Short mmCIF file of all heavy atoms in Angstrom, two decimals:
data_model
loop_
_atom_site.label_atom_id
_atom_site.label_comp_id
_atom_site.label_asym_id
_atom_site.label_seq_id
_atom_site.Cartn_x
_atom_site.Cartn_y
_atom_site.Cartn_z
N ILE A 1 84.45 100.85 -62.41
CA ILE A 1 85.73 100.72 -63.11
C ILE A 1 85.96 99.24 -63.46
O ILE A 1 86.32 98.92 -64.59
CB ILE A 1 86.84 101.22 -62.14
CG1 ILE A 1 86.75 102.70 -61.96
CG2 ILE A 1 88.24 100.78 -62.67
CD1 ILE A 1 87.65 103.26 -60.85
N LYS A 2 85.67 98.34 -62.54
CA LYS A 2 85.79 96.91 -62.76
C LYS A 2 84.81 96.45 -63.86
O LYS A 2 85.21 95.64 -64.70
CB LYS A 2 85.54 96.17 -61.46
CG LYS A 2 85.78 94.67 -61.53
CD LYS A 2 85.59 94.03 -60.16
CE LYS A 2 85.68 92.53 -60.25
NZ LYS A 2 85.46 91.95 -58.91
N ARG A 3 83.60 96.92 -63.88
CA ARG A 3 82.58 96.51 -64.85
C ARG A 3 83.00 96.76 -66.27
O ARG A 3 82.62 95.99 -67.17
CB ARG A 3 81.27 97.20 -64.53
CG ARG A 3 80.02 96.58 -65.10
CD ARG A 3 78.76 97.18 -64.57
NE ARG A 3 78.79 97.38 -63.15
CZ ARG A 3 78.45 98.48 -62.51
NH1 ARG A 3 77.99 99.53 -63.13
NH2 ARG A 3 78.51 98.53 -61.21
N VAL A 4 83.77 97.82 -66.49
CA VAL A 4 84.21 98.09 -67.88
C VAL A 4 85.61 97.46 -68.20
O VAL A 4 86.22 97.76 -69.20
CB VAL A 4 84.23 99.61 -68.21
CG1 VAL A 4 82.79 100.15 -68.17
CG2 VAL A 4 85.15 100.39 -67.30
N GLY A 5 86.07 96.64 -67.26
CA GLY A 5 87.34 95.92 -67.49
C GLY A 5 88.61 96.70 -67.21
O GLY A 5 89.69 96.26 -67.58
N LEU A 6 88.47 97.76 -66.39
CA LEU A 6 89.66 98.53 -66.09
C LEU A 6 90.16 98.20 -64.68
O LEU A 6 89.41 97.73 -63.86
CB LEU A 6 89.34 100.03 -66.09
CG LEU A 6 88.97 100.63 -67.47
CD1 LEU A 6 88.53 102.05 -67.33
CD2 LEU A 6 90.17 100.53 -68.42
N THR A 7 91.45 98.40 -64.50
CA THR A 7 92.05 98.37 -63.15
C THR A 7 92.85 99.64 -63.02
O THR A 7 93.03 100.41 -63.96
CB THR A 7 93.00 97.18 -62.99
OG1 THR A 7 94.00 97.20 -64.03
CG2 THR A 7 92.22 95.81 -63.13
N PHE A 8 93.35 99.92 -61.81
CA PHE A 8 94.20 101.09 -61.58
C PHE A 8 95.35 100.75 -60.72
O PHE A 8 95.32 99.82 -59.93
CB PHE A 8 93.37 102.25 -60.99
CG PHE A 8 92.55 101.90 -59.78
CD1 PHE A 8 93.08 101.94 -58.52
CD2 PHE A 8 91.24 101.50 -59.92
CE1 PHE A 8 92.30 101.60 -57.45
CE2 PHE A 8 90.41 101.17 -58.86
CZ PHE A 8 90.99 101.23 -57.56
N GLY A 9 96.40 101.55 -60.86
CA GLY A 9 97.60 101.33 -60.10
C GLY A 9 97.52 102.08 -58.77
O GLY A 9 96.47 102.58 -58.40
N ASN A 10 98.67 102.13 -58.10
CA ASN A 10 98.80 102.97 -56.90
C ASN A 10 98.83 104.40 -57.22
O ASN A 10 99.37 104.85 -58.24
CB ASN A 10 100.07 102.50 -56.12
CG ASN A 10 99.97 101.09 -55.62
OD1 ASN A 10 98.89 100.63 -55.26
ND2 ASN A 10 101.08 100.41 -55.64
N ILE A 11 98.36 105.18 -56.34
CA ILE A 11 98.42 106.65 -56.45
C ILE A 11 99.89 107.05 -56.09
O ILE A 11 100.41 106.60 -55.11
CB ILE A 11 97.41 107.35 -55.51
CG1 ILE A 11 96.02 106.95 -55.85
CG2 ILE A 11 97.64 108.85 -55.56
CD1 ILE A 11 95.01 107.38 -54.75
N GLU A 12 100.50 107.76 -56.98
CA GLU A 12 101.88 108.21 -56.78
C GLU A 12 101.86 109.73 -56.66
O GLU A 12 101.09 110.42 -57.25
CB GLU A 12 102.74 107.87 -57.99
CG GLU A 12 102.87 106.35 -58.21
CD GLU A 12 103.76 106.10 -59.43
OE1 GLU A 12 104.89 106.70 -59.50
OE2 GLU A 12 103.31 105.36 -60.29
N ILE A 13 102.84 110.17 -55.87
CA ILE A 13 103.12 111.65 -55.83
C ILE A 13 104.59 111.83 -56.27
O ILE A 13 105.52 111.25 -55.73
CB ILE A 13 102.95 112.26 -54.43
CG1 ILE A 13 101.51 112.20 -54.02
CG2 ILE A 13 103.39 113.70 -54.44
CD1 ILE A 13 101.19 112.87 -52.71
N LYS A 14 104.71 112.59 -57.33
CA LYS A 14 106.05 112.95 -57.83
C LYS A 14 106.43 114.32 -57.22
O LYS A 14 105.69 115.30 -57.42
CB LYS A 14 106.04 113.01 -59.37
CG LYS A 14 105.74 111.67 -60.01
CD LYS A 14 105.77 111.79 -61.49
CE LYS A 14 105.52 110.45 -62.12
NZ LYS A 14 105.51 110.53 -63.61
N ARG A 15 107.50 114.32 -56.48
CA ARG A 15 107.97 115.51 -55.82
C ARG A 15 109.28 115.99 -56.40
O ARG A 15 110.16 115.21 -56.56
CB ARG A 15 108.09 115.29 -54.32
CG ARG A 15 106.82 114.89 -53.61
CD ARG A 15 107.08 114.54 -52.14
NE ARG A 15 105.82 114.37 -51.44
CZ ARG A 15 105.29 113.17 -51.16
NH1 ARG A 15 105.92 112.07 -51.56
NH2 ARG A 15 104.17 113.06 -50.53
N THR A 16 109.35 117.29 -56.68
CA THR A 16 110.62 117.88 -57.17
C THR A 16 110.86 119.20 -56.59
O THR A 16 109.89 119.94 -56.17
CB THR A 16 110.54 118.01 -58.73
OG1 THR A 16 109.43 118.85 -59.06
CG2 THR A 16 110.37 116.66 -59.42
N TYR A 17 112.15 119.57 -56.50
CA TYR A 17 112.54 120.92 -56.16
C TYR A 17 113.29 121.45 -57.39
O TYR A 17 114.19 120.82 -57.87
CB TYR A 17 113.49 120.91 -54.97
CG TYR A 17 112.77 120.68 -53.61
CD1 TYR A 17 112.60 119.45 -53.10
CD2 TYR A 17 112.21 121.76 -52.96
CE1 TYR A 17 111.93 119.19 -51.89
CE2 TYR A 17 111.57 121.58 -51.71
CZ TYR A 17 111.44 120.31 -51.24
OH TYR A 17 110.77 120.13 -50.04
N SER A 18 112.94 122.64 -57.80
CA SER A 18 113.62 123.28 -58.95
C SER A 18 114.92 123.90 -58.52
O SER A 18 115.23 123.98 -57.31
CB SER A 18 112.72 124.26 -59.65
OG SER A 18 112.40 125.29 -58.77
N ASP A 19 115.66 124.46 -59.46
CA ASP A 19 116.92 125.14 -59.13
C ASP A 19 116.72 126.31 -58.15
O ASP A 19 117.63 126.64 -57.40
CB ASP A 19 117.61 125.66 -60.42
CG ASP A 19 118.05 124.53 -61.29
OD1 ASP A 19 118.32 123.40 -60.75
OD2 ASP A 19 118.27 124.73 -62.48
N ASP A 20 115.62 126.97 -58.18
CA ASP A 20 115.37 128.12 -57.29
C ASP A 20 114.78 127.61 -55.95
O ASP A 20 114.27 128.39 -55.18
CB ASP A 20 114.46 129.14 -57.91
CG ASP A 20 113.04 128.62 -58.18
OD1 ASP A 20 112.78 127.44 -58.02
OD2 ASP A 20 112.22 129.48 -58.55
N ASN A 21 114.80 126.27 -55.72
CA ASN A 21 114.37 125.63 -54.52
C ASN A 21 112.83 125.69 -54.27
O ASN A 21 112.34 125.60 -53.15
CB ASN A 21 115.07 126.14 -53.29
CG ASN A 21 115.17 125.13 -52.18
OD1 ASN A 21 115.14 123.98 -52.41
ND2 ASN A 21 115.19 125.57 -50.92
N SER A 22 112.07 125.88 -55.45
CA SER A 22 110.65 125.87 -55.27
C SER A 22 110.12 124.39 -55.39
O SER A 22 110.73 123.61 -56.06
CB SER A 22 109.96 126.76 -56.27
OG SER A 22 110.23 126.31 -57.58
N TYR A 23 109.11 124.14 -54.65
CA TYR A 23 108.56 122.77 -54.47
C TYR A 23 107.41 122.54 -55.44
O TYR A 23 106.54 123.37 -55.62
CB TYR A 23 108.15 122.58 -53.08
CG TYR A 23 107.61 121.15 -52.79
CD1 TYR A 23 108.40 120.05 -52.74
CD2 TYR A 23 106.22 121.03 -52.59
CE1 TYR A 23 107.90 118.80 -52.45
CE2 TYR A 23 105.70 119.75 -52.27
CZ TYR A 23 106.56 118.67 -52.25
OH TYR A 23 106.04 117.44 -51.98
N THR A 24 107.40 121.31 -56.05
CA THR A 24 106.25 120.91 -56.90
C THR A 24 105.91 119.46 -56.51
O THR A 24 106.78 118.65 -56.36
CB THR A 24 106.64 121.02 -58.41
OG1 THR A 24 106.92 122.36 -58.74
CG2 THR A 24 105.55 120.48 -59.29
N SER A 25 104.64 119.22 -56.43
CA SER A 25 104.19 117.86 -56.21
C SER A 25 102.96 117.58 -57.12
O SER A 25 102.12 118.43 -57.31
CB SER A 25 103.77 117.59 -54.76
OG SER A 25 102.74 118.43 -54.32
N GLU A 26 103.03 116.40 -57.76
CA GLU A 26 102.00 116.03 -58.76
C GLU A 26 101.52 114.63 -58.42
O GLU A 26 102.30 113.72 -58.17
CB GLU A 26 102.65 116.05 -60.16
CG GLU A 26 101.73 115.69 -61.25
CD GLU A 26 102.47 115.71 -62.56
OE1 GLU A 26 103.66 115.65 -62.64
OE2 GLU A 26 101.76 115.79 -63.62
N VAL A 27 100.20 114.50 -58.47
CA VAL A 27 99.54 113.19 -58.28
C VAL A 27 99.45 112.54 -59.62
O VAL A 27 99.07 113.18 -60.62
CB VAL A 27 98.16 113.34 -57.65
CG1 VAL A 27 97.43 112.02 -57.67
CG2 VAL A 27 98.27 113.88 -56.25
N VAL A 28 99.76 111.23 -59.66
CA VAL A 28 99.70 110.40 -60.87
C VAL A 28 98.95 109.10 -60.53
O VAL A 28 99.32 108.44 -59.55
CB VAL A 28 101.08 110.09 -61.47
CG1 VAL A 28 100.95 109.28 -62.71
CG2 VAL A 28 101.84 111.41 -61.76
N LEU A 29 97.94 108.76 -61.35
CA LEU A 29 97.21 107.54 -61.19
C LEU A 29 96.94 106.93 -62.57
O LEU A 29 96.32 107.52 -63.40
CB LEU A 29 95.86 107.81 -60.46
CG LEU A 29 94.93 106.60 -60.35
CD1 LEU A 29 95.53 105.50 -59.52
CD2 LEU A 29 93.61 107.05 -59.80
N ASP A 30 97.45 105.70 -62.76
CA ASP A 30 97.33 105.03 -64.04
C ASP A 30 96.09 104.09 -64.02
O ASP A 30 95.85 103.44 -62.99
CB ASP A 30 98.59 104.17 -64.32
CG ASP A 30 99.85 105.03 -64.47
OD1 ASP A 30 99.70 106.21 -64.87
OD2 ASP A 30 100.94 104.46 -64.19
N PHE A 31 95.43 104.04 -65.15
CA PHE A 31 94.37 103.12 -65.35
C PHE A 31 94.78 102.09 -66.48
O PHE A 31 95.41 102.55 -67.50
CB PHE A 31 93.08 103.79 -65.79
CG PHE A 31 92.43 104.52 -64.66
CD1 PHE A 31 92.87 105.80 -64.25
CD2 PHE A 31 91.37 103.93 -63.92
CE1 PHE A 31 92.20 106.44 -63.25
CE2 PHE A 31 90.80 104.57 -62.89
CZ PHE A 31 91.19 105.86 -62.52
N TYR A 32 94.43 100.82 -66.32
CA TYR A 32 94.85 99.81 -67.25
C TYR A 32 93.67 99.04 -67.78
O TYR A 32 92.66 98.83 -67.09
CB TYR A 32 95.77 98.80 -66.57
CG TYR A 32 97.04 99.44 -66.01
CD1 TYR A 32 97.11 99.91 -64.75
CD2 TYR A 32 98.16 99.56 -66.80
CE1 TYR A 32 98.28 100.52 -64.25
CE2 TYR A 32 99.33 100.12 -66.33
CZ TYR A 32 99.37 100.58 -65.04
OH TYR A 32 100.49 101.17 -64.55
N TYR A 33 93.80 98.57 -69.01
CA TYR A 33 92.88 97.64 -69.64
C TYR A 33 93.69 96.47 -70.15
O TYR A 33 94.62 96.67 -70.91
CB TYR A 33 92.09 98.25 -70.78
CG TYR A 33 91.10 97.33 -71.39
CD1 TYR A 33 89.94 96.91 -70.73
CD2 TYR A 33 91.41 96.79 -72.65
CE1 TYR A 33 89.11 95.98 -71.34
CE2 TYR A 33 90.53 95.93 -73.25
CZ TYR A 33 89.36 95.49 -72.55
OH TYR A 33 88.54 94.59 -73.13
N GLU A 34 93.43 95.29 -69.65
CA GLU A 34 94.14 94.08 -70.04
C GLU A 34 95.67 94.29 -69.87
O GLU A 34 96.45 94.04 -70.83
CB GLU A 34 93.80 93.66 -71.43
CG GLU A 34 92.37 93.22 -71.55
CD GLU A 34 92.02 92.75 -73.00
OE1 GLU A 34 92.79 93.02 -73.92
OE2 GLU A 34 90.92 92.21 -73.19
N ASP A 35 96.11 94.83 -68.78
CA ASP A 35 97.51 95.06 -68.44
C ASP A 35 98.20 96.10 -69.33
O ASP A 35 99.38 96.26 -69.24
CB ASP A 35 98.30 93.78 -68.43
CG ASP A 35 97.85 92.81 -67.35
OD1 ASP A 35 97.44 93.29 -66.25
OD2 ASP A 35 97.91 91.56 -67.58
N ASN A 36 97.43 96.80 -70.15
CA ASN A 36 98.03 97.86 -70.98
C ASN A 36 97.52 99.20 -70.42
O ASN A 36 96.38 99.34 -70.03
CB ASN A 36 97.59 97.73 -72.43
CG ASN A 36 98.11 96.47 -73.09
OD1 ASN A 36 99.32 96.25 -73.07
ND2 ASN A 36 97.22 95.69 -73.60
N LEU A 37 98.44 100.19 -70.46
CA LEU A 37 98.03 101.53 -69.99
C LEU A 37 96.90 102.03 -70.84
O LEU A 37 96.97 102.06 -72.05
CB LEU A 37 99.22 102.50 -70.07
CG LEU A 37 99.02 103.86 -69.54
CD1 LEU A 37 98.74 103.81 -68.03
CD2 LEU A 37 100.27 104.68 -69.77
N PHE A 38 95.86 102.46 -70.19
CA PHE A 38 94.64 102.96 -70.89
C PHE A 38 94.54 104.43 -70.73
O PHE A 38 94.19 105.16 -71.69
CB PHE A 38 93.39 102.24 -70.31
CG PHE A 38 92.10 102.67 -71.00
CD1 PHE A 38 91.78 102.15 -72.26
CD2 PHE A 38 91.25 103.56 -70.38
CE1 PHE A 38 90.63 102.54 -72.88
CE2 PHE A 38 90.06 103.92 -71.01
CZ PHE A 38 89.78 103.45 -72.24
N ASP A 39 94.71 104.98 -69.53
CA ASP A 39 94.59 106.42 -69.31
C ASP A 39 95.35 106.76 -68.01
O ASP A 39 95.70 105.93 -67.22
CB ASP A 39 93.12 106.84 -69.16
CG ASP A 39 92.87 108.23 -69.64
OD1 ASP A 39 93.80 109.08 -69.56
OD2 ASP A 39 91.75 108.52 -70.08
N VAL A 40 95.59 108.06 -67.83
CA VAL A 40 96.34 108.57 -66.65
C VAL A 40 95.67 109.80 -66.13
O VAL A 40 95.26 110.66 -66.89
CB VAL A 40 97.82 108.90 -67.02
CG1 VAL A 40 98.57 109.41 -65.79
CG2 VAL A 40 98.50 107.67 -67.62
N ILE A 41 95.54 109.87 -64.84
CA ILE A 41 95.09 111.10 -64.18
C ILE A 41 96.35 111.74 -63.59
O ILE A 41 97.13 111.05 -62.92
CB ILE A 41 94.13 110.82 -63.02
CG1 ILE A 41 92.75 110.33 -63.57
CG2 ILE A 41 93.92 112.03 -62.15
CD1 ILE A 41 91.84 109.99 -62.47
N GLU A 42 96.51 113.02 -63.89
CA GLU A 42 97.67 113.79 -63.34
C GLU A 42 97.16 115.16 -62.95
O GLU A 42 96.45 115.77 -63.67
CB GLU A 42 98.76 113.97 -64.38
CG GLU A 42 99.36 112.67 -64.86
CD GLU A 42 100.38 112.92 -65.93
OE1 GLU A 42 99.98 113.34 -67.01
OE2 GLU A 42 101.62 112.66 -65.69
#
């Protein structure tokens, strides 16, 4: 990752409960090139 000039942010988990009280969690990880968002894993 470093060799191609990329960095990555912290791994985040977005947690939500819908109106019917069902639970959702999503992992999000951002990759950056020169401090600009390059790609995202979700």
Side-chain angles (χ1 to χ4, degrees):
I1 293 167
K2 186 178 175 181
R3 201 170 312 133
V4 295
L6 295 174
T7 58
F8 50 87
N10 293 324
I11 299 168
E12 296 180 50
I13 294 187
K14 296 181 180 179
R15 296 175 172 101
T16 58
Y17 284 93
S18 63
D19 291 339
D20 66 353
N21 207 27
S22 63
Y23 179 73
T24 298
S25 60
E26 179 181 19
V27 171
V28 179
L29 174 62
D30 297 333
F31 286 84
Y32 299 91
Y33 178 73
E34 296 180 348
D35 295 327
N36 295 306
L37 185 62
F38 182 77
D39 210 331
V40 179
I41 291 177
E42 297 176 296

